[in-house]
Amino acid sequence: MSFRAALPFLLAAGLLVGCGVVQESGAGRIASPKPVTSSAETIQGRWWTWAASEGESTNPVMDTTGEFCDRNQPEDVWFLAGTFGGTSQRTCRVPAGRPMVFPLVNRLCSEAKCEEFMNIAEGGATLDGEPVTLERMEDDDVIVTGVADNPLTGEAGRTRSYACGIWARLQPLRPGRHTLTIRGSAGDFHTGVDYTLVVETAPQA
């Protein structure tokens, strides 16, 4: 089934996407929720708007190689995307000095569905073989702004919903190549990405 054919079902069920290794009690360490805000908007809302800012052909969530990972990135953070199910391998060039944020598994749905989702969501991540600390972000009230034919909301304009998921944030990495492995799941939904991150050398003054 094509993604476009499945889109009405996904939207009716509450959209699942994400990215993320190991379970919460394993290598991944779960931290208490700590919302991140910028311009009175949560990091979940910012990520969903970023992910909905490209159509299907160039969308970073549907990207199978990493060639679209730089699309519409904000100046203060670098977002990474998961998949709509299954595992992808991507190579992504990241500017020096940029912190990174990504979901292991996340959802856009009603407040009640978010509570159900977070009861079964799990995942983990490793950076260069070391476990990454995770955060559980519960039912944020968000406004997502998308473009036409984006594969997340399916239409242009603003959508109000609740967002929830398991997330990770990385401080800026040293220049060079890094391996980031992320896995997430919620019931029978599984997602993951094996990233090769190429962090650029800071420009000379």
Side-chain angles (χ1 to χ4, degrees), residues 91-170:
T91 298
C92 181
R93 300 190 69 86
V94 181
R98 194 75 65 90
M100 283 174 271
V101 175
F102 56 90
L104 282 70
V105 63
N106 58 340
R107 188 170 185 179
L108 200 64
C109 56
S110 69
E111 187 175 16
K113 290 294 184 182
C114 262
E115 183 177 357
E116 294 176 8
F117 172 75
M118 293 305 291
N119 286 334
I120 60 173
E122 59 184 17
T126 60
L127 175 66
D128 297 330
E130 296 296 325
V132 173
T133 298
L134 311 178
E135 299 179 32
R136 300 184 73 91
M137 296 189 186
E138 315 275 351
D139 55 22
D140 279 334
D141 185 0
V142 300
I143 295 177
V144 180
T145 303
V147 301
D149 297 322
N150 81 81
L152 288 95
T153 67
E155 59 187 6
R158 291 154 65 89
T159 301
R160 187 161 197 150
S161 185
Y162 284 91
C164 48
I166 300 176
W167 293 77
R169 291 182 286 180
L170 300 177

Side-chain angles (χ1 to χ4, degrees), residues 13-93:
L15 191 63
L16 286 165
V17 299
C19 51
V21 152
V22 204
Q23 295 182 341
E24 298 172 18
S25 59
R29 301 186 298 277
I30 298 293
S32 59
K34 184 172 62 174
V36 183
T37 59
S38 177
S39 302
E41 190 175 12
T42 68
I43 201 70
Q44 291 196 94
R46 293 183 67 198
W47 184 93
W48 280 99
T49 288
W50 167 76
S53 65
E54 289 285 331
E56 288 188 22
S57 62
T58 56
N59 193 277
V61 183
M62 300 187 73
D63 187 1
T64 58
T65 65
E67 63 178 314
F68 303 122
C69 74
D70 63 345
R71 295 297 179 109
N72 301 309
Q73 291 284 356
E75 294 183 358
D76 61 331
V77 69
W78 191 269
F79 289 127
L80 296 175
T83 73
F84 288 110
T87 303
S88 290
Q89 294 184 336
R90 298 174 183 153
T91 298
C92 181
R93 300 190 69 86

